[in-house]
């Protein structure tokens, strides 16, 4: 059977079971013996983040349009602004029924010099570009709130706005036609008439500042993003969490001129995106234990990353056979009948809620209660087999929302449907960690730094992690909603009541998986999914759906999903028992067909609910909540000092990896806006640069290593040879006001030891420049990693002297 538009695969959800390093996954290794050896609390091995997702439709340019020079009607449709032929354009996604979209500038009042065919071709190009913009999330014929806030046009509405929209769509489509190159402003201008340079400047600036173009992991893009685009230093940002939201925000902020440092509690990056490398008996595979499926590739920014990295996509095929508890295949006619009935029940609930919301705006009931009421009224699924089939569909819905039907808001459970990405659902071969690893490159990430406290005030922020203090102008918190609900991070002052209420109202659910590597593929290669029905309604989500990863993982890997109430009970069950139950189901399906099901070579059970860095899988709209709570969660606090990102802060794309990605880009733009609005360095600090340098020089009064004019301070928290060390070099001269100039740099402890083996400052400086490529900077030029190391050294010495110094901001 064909599953109904699989509700965003929570596997694709960055929240699928997303999370990781300290994920309480349990790994089983089956040897040739009948009894598997169990490593109950085996911490997940450090994984290599891998590939992202993909974007099937991205296209290039067509032509913007503007008011005709001879047309005096200021409200008439815009005319052609372009001066050269449009490039090839990628097809946009077809409009969805529930997202009715008007044709975009399909009729052009004409420039007399344009032939009818030329106008028709132009209109077609503009329509294609509009569809690309729509797929990315832009409205058809109006500005986004971000654009209005950025003052992209002088007047809202009218010809200028219409022309801006066409220009913006053109630039967006042009970059999407070749996402591996950096689109410059001059390139954007090439096909647009020069008199519209102002619109191009406005649209280009908005798109690049908000991460809609020139983002990602292509070599040309990465190189440009590793330094400030305008050379202006805008402040320091501490980012809490090295998941997708935190990593993409960090990269964008570096490009926008900020120094960043990323704190991650796990020993690996990725958060709720985790790929497990499995092997044994000559087979190996990579399976995603967290976010896995790319739900919709049209316009998806993760699809762009996949294209840039040259990662192939595997479409999750629609065929999904279902099997009864006795292993027999479900009758296709009964299957279709129940599926139609299930969709009709949802439609009836939808009509009911519209009526209720209009009359009594505050009324909400569980979605499960409403569906059951309609099922009884219309006598749906009275037959036992039909009831099992209906329960399978309900389990699939619980999987999409990571929660029980009894917890979902009837009024708003699907509030994000109008925004969902179009296109196929896909897997990335090799797992999503390839993608994560690429995002981590060249970022200062401190692992195993569990954040305990975030203090913020008028002068900046202090973040405490593992007894260390990290200072910044602002902090971006990207931890999962489950962590915020637990209250394991102390905010000083306390978060506003409005935000605390939203945190409590929104739901954070659970999905678990059993990943099994077999010695060979016994289930066949012509399907990607198959399902299993249960007689027990309370356990309908237990191993109800299987994903075949054979086509994408490198080996015969099968993943069984556990949703709803079964996902909660699953975490209390022995991993050995869990795997045994999965094997019983598989043998019940395949043995009657004469197919032997072997013991798995290796098996891993997730425990996302017990993961201290997640406490669940992904967000959902609970009873009494609404989409507005996602927006409240996204609001910054402390007059622009503390910002929030992550899938649970994205109203349009919650519970998805691309939702996390887009939230990181959104907050990077918000941080830039606040930085521009307010000087990040108070006047008293501007006047006391020398005082700051003096404070740092005091630390060097007792260095760990002295080599002539070179002094070195080691990271007090680590003896690792690759850990950072702070280097100071003193330059003396008669022309210097103070008699000497101190410059600083970061080197590894190993490099410091190597420097100590070299004689003479001149030789050390040569090694520093030629061999290590270290650039010495002034006190204010230290990177985020350097500032963090200074804070750690100060904190350690403060402890030695009798306790922490006052940490109030």
């Amino acid at each position: 059977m064909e599953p109904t538009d699989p509700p965003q695969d929570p596997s694709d959800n960055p929240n699928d079971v997303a999370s990781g390093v300290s994920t309480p996954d349990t790994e089983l290794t089956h040897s040739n013996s009948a009894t598997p050896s169990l490593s109950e609390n085996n911490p997940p091995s450090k994984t290599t983040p891998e590939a992202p997702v993909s974007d099937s439709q991205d296209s290039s340019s067509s032509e913007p349009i503007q008011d005709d020079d001879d047309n005096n009607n200021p409200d008439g449709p815009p005319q052609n602004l372009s001066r050269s032929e449009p490039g090839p354009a990628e097809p946009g996604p077809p409009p969805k029924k529930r997202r009715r979209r008007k044709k975009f500038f399909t009729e052009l009042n004409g420039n007399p010099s344009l032939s009818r065919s030329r106008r028709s071709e132009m209109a077609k190009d503009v329509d294609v570009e509009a569809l690309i913009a729509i797929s990315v999330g832009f409205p058809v014929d109006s500005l986004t709130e971000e654009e209005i806030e950025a003052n992209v046009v002088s007047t809202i509405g009218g010809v200028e706005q219409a022309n801006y929209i066409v220009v913006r769509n053109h630039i967006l489509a042009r970059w999407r036609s070749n996402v591996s190159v950096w689109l410059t402003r001059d390139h954007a201008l090439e096909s647009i008439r020069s008199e519209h340079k102002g619109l191009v400047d406005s649209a280009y600036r908005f798109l690049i500042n908000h991460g809609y173009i020139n983002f990602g992991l292509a070599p040309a893009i990465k190189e440009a993003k590793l330094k400030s685009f305008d050379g202006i230093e805008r402040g320091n940002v501490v980012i809490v969490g090295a998941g997708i939201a935190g990593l993409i925000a960090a990269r964008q902020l570096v490009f926008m001129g900020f120094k960043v440092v990323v704190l991650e509690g796990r020993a690996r990056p990725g958060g709720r995106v985790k790929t497990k490398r499995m092997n044994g008996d000559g087979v190996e595979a990579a399976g995603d234990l967290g976010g896995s499926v790319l739900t919709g590739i049209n316009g998806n920014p993760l699809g762009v990353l996949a294209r840039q990295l040259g990662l192939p996509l595997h479409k999750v095929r629609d065929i999904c056979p279902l099997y009864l508890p006795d292993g027999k295949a479900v009758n296709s006619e009964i299957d279709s009948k129940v599926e139609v009935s299930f969709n009709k029940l949802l439609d009836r609930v939808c009509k009911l809620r519209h009526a209720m919301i209009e009359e009594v705006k505050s009324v909400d009931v569980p979605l499960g209660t409403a569906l059951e009421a309609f099922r009884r009224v219309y006598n749906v699924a009275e037959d036992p087999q039909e009831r099992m089939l209906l329960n399978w569909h309900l389990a699939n819905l619980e999987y999409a929302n990571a929660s029980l039907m009894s917890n979902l808001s009837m009024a708003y459970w699907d509030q994000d449907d109008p925004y969902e990405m179009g296109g196929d659902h896909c897997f990335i071969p090799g797992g999503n960690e390839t993608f994560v690893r690429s995002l981590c490159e060249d970022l200062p990430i401190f692992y195993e730094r569990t954040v305990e406290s975030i203090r913020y005030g008028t002068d900046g922020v202090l973040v405490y992690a593992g007894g260390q203090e990290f200072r910044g102008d602002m902090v971006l918190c990207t931890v999962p909603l489950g962590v915020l609900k637990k209250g394991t991070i102390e905010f000083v002052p306390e978060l506003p009541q409005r935000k605390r209420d939203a945190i409590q109202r929104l739901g954070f659910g659970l999905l678990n998986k059993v990943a099994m590597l077999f010695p060979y593929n016994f289930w066949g290669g012509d399907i990607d999914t198959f399902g299993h029905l249960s007689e027990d309604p309370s356990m309908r989500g237990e191993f109800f759906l299987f994903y075949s990863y054979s086509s994408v993982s490198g080996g015969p890997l099968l993943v069984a999903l556990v949703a709803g109430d079964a996902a909660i009970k699953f975490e209390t069950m022995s991993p050995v028992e869990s795997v045994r139950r999965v094997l019983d189901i598989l043998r019940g399906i395949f043995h009657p067909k004469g197919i032997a099901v072997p013991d798995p070579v290796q098996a891993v059970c997730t425990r996302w609910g017990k993961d201290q860095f997640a406490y669940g899988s992904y967000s959902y709209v609970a009873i009494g909540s609404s989409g507005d709570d996602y927006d409240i969660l996204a609001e910054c606090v402390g007059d622009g000092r503390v910002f929030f990102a992550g899938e649970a802060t994205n109203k349009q794309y919650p519970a998805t990896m691309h939702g996390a990605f887009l939230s990181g880009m959104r907050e990077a733009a918000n941080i830039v806006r606040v930085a521009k609005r307010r000087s990040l360095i108070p006047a008293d600090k501007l006047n006391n640069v020398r005082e700051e340098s003096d404070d740092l020089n005091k630390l060097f009064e007792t260095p760990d290593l002295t080599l002539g004019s070179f002094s070195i301070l080691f990271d007090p928290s680590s003896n690792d040879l690759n850990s950072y060390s702070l280097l100071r070099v003193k330059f003396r001269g008669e022309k210097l006001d103070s008699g000497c100039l101190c410059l600083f740099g970061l080197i590894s402890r190993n490099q410091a030891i190597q420097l100590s083996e070299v004689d003479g400052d001149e030789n050390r400086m040569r090694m520093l420049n030629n061999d290590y490529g270290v650039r010495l900077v002034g006190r204010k030029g230290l990177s985020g990693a350097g500032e963090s190391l200074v804070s750690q050294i100060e904190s350690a010495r403060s402890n030695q002297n009798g306790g922490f110094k006052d940490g109030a901001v």
Side-chain angles (χ1 to χ4, degrees), residues 295-542:
T295 49
I297 54 174
N298 290 349
N300 196 316
L302 298 179
V304 171
L305 302 192
R307 290 171 59 192
Q308 292 172 331
L309 293 173
L311 300 171
L313 295 175
H314 175 79
K315 176 189 174 183
V316 180
R317 289 167 284 190
D318 294 334
I319 301 171
C320 180
L322 297 182
Y323 296 94
L324 294 165
D326 62 6
K328 294 180 181 177
V330 171
N331 179 279
S332 59
E333 291 184 3
I334 299 176
D335 184 4
S336 298
K337 173 187 172 184
V338 173
E339 186 173 6
V340 168
S341 298
F342 172 71
N343 288 326
K344 284 183 178 178
L345 288 178
L346 284 176
D347 288 341
R348 289 184 175 114
V349 169
C350 186
K351 291 175 183 176
L352 170 66
R353 71 180 178 191
H354 284 314
M356 288 176 62
I357 290 172
E358 285 179 8
E359 294 183 18
V360 190
K361 298 190 184 298
S362 62
V363 169
D364 198 2
V365 297
L367 176 62
T369 300
L371 284 172
E372 177 60 16
F374 278 112
R375 187 197 69 77
R376 291 176 180 274
V377 168
Y378 291 98
N379 298 316
V380 173
E382 295 292 310
D383 175 80
Q385 185 177 144
E386 291 182 358
R387 180 66 63 82
M388 284 191 291
L389 270 167
L390 181 64
N391 279 328
W392 186 89
H393 284 288
L394 293 174
N396 201 29
L397 206 55
E398 291 178 327
Y399 155 52
N401 293 277
S403 187
L404 283 65
M405 298 296 295
S406 57
N407 293 336
L408 293 176
S409 161
M410 182 196 74
Y412 301 109
W413 70 276
D414 58 349
Q415 61 85 34
D416 59 314
D417 270 11
Y419 310 101
E420 68 183 20
M421 297 284 180
D424 297 328
H425 290 205
C426 296
F427 285 130
I428 298 297
N432 293 314
E433 73 167 15
T434 303
F435 165 48
V436 173
R437 180 168 294 277
S438 295
L439 284 176
C440 287
E441 290 178 4
D442 303 309
L443 288 179
I445 304 174
F446 289 79
Y447 295 105
E448 297 182 305
R449 300 296 200 279
T450 302
V451 171
E452 298 131 9
S453 175
I454 296 175
R455 302 185 178 195
Y456 56 99
T458 55
D459 292 335
V461 299
L462 288 173
V463 180
Y464 293 93
Q468 297 175 353
E469 175 189 286
F470 297 84
R471 302 183 185 188
D473 297 300
M474 292 176 280
V475 61
L476 173 60
C477 181
T478 71
V479 300
L481 175 58
V483 174
L484 294 177
K485 281 179 170 290
K486 279 283 184 180
T488 55
I489 296 178
E490 174 195 35
F491 288 88
V492 181
E494 195 172 23
L495 292 177
Q497 189 65 47
R498 167 184 169 85
K499 187 177 286 283
R500 284 182 282 146
D501 289 345
I503 289 170
Q504 293 310 311
R505 281 193 300 266
L506 268 181
F508 196 68
L510 185 62
L511 174 76
N512 274 311
K513 296 181 178 181
V514 178
M516 297 162 291
L517 179 65
F518 289 94
Y520 56 86
N521 182 333
F522 59 84
W523 56 91
D526 55 343
I527 58 172
D528 292 318
T529 58
F530 60 90
H532 176 261
L533 277 54
S534 172
E535 291 177 331
D536 181 357
S538 69
M539 295 301 286
R540 62 193 176 201
E542 185 183 43

Side-chain angles (χ1 to χ4, degrees), residues 57-59 89-95 127-129 131-132 135 298:
Q57 74 105 70
D58 283 320
S59 183
E90 337 179 316
D127 278 348
V128 170
E129 291 181 351
L131 287 174
I132 291 169
S135 74
N298 290 349

Side-chain angles (χ1 to χ4, degrees), residues 545-620:
L545 186 63
F546 290 81
Y547 272 103
S548 168
Y549 276 73
S550 288
S551 309
V552 294
S553 67
L557 184 69
L558 204 58
V559 175
L561 303 186
V562 193
D565 195 38
I568 299 170
K569 296 176 181 176
F570 178 82
E571 299 210 343
T572 66
M573 191 184 303
S574 156
V576 176
E577 174 64 13
S578 296
V579 173
R580 185 193 64 76
R581 290 168 76 111
V582 177
L583 292 175
D584 285 346
I585 289 172
L586 291 173
R587 285 166 179 154
I589 293 172
F590 292 100
H591 277 190
K593 299 178 181 181
I595 299 173
V597 176
D599 285 340
V601 172
Q602 187 180 4
V604 179
C605 299
T606 66
R607 295 283 188 271
W608 289 107
K610 293 182 178 179
D611 185 331
Q612 64 169 319
F613 299 113
Y615 293 112
S617 299
Y618 44 98
S619 62
Y620 66 90

